[in-house]
Amino acid sequence: QVELVESGGGSVQAGGSLRLACAASGYIYSTRYMAWFRQAPGKGREWVASVYYGGARTDYADSVKGRFTISQDNGKNTVYLQMNSLAPEDTAMYYCAARSGVPPDDNAEYFADWGQGTQVTVYS
């Protein structure tokens, strides 16, 4: 059974940093397409970043490019999201997601496996 568990969320002042982690069980991590999404109150689920091909490829949403870094530790079956220069608009519930193979696009509907989410709050 596949399970994804996020951790690392919290409250931080604007300009600060947080590192989220997503620990996986039930499959070999390195073979999966892993992504982070976020959802702010009253908004849809937004793709943030992806890592795939065993960590060799990464992609980012324009809104986080240059500030966030996604990585994975295959030995620990864990994906990380390092978030720097955080701003109030980054406030959201952050979710880890996984699927087999590269999706047609970054729509959340293409992902079958999800974690429970971890809250990130950035205050000014």
Side-chain angles (χ1 to χ4, degrees), residues 70-121:
I70 189 171
S71 61
Q72 65 182 63
D73 184 331
N74 294 329
K76 295 182 179 179
N77 251 18
T78 301
V79 169
Y80 301 97
L81 185 68
Q82 177 66 44
M83 306 185 295
N84 298 328
S85 301
L86 284 162
E89 52 265 36
D90 294 315
T91 294
M93 184 72 80
Y94 283 70
Y95 296 92
C96 177
R99 56 165 284 133
S100 180
V102 179
D105 59 41
D106 54 26
N107 196 305
E109 68 181 13
Y110 292 115
F111 289 79
D113 302 323
W114 292 87
Q116 83 289 348
T118 186
Q119 177 68 38
V120 171
T121 302

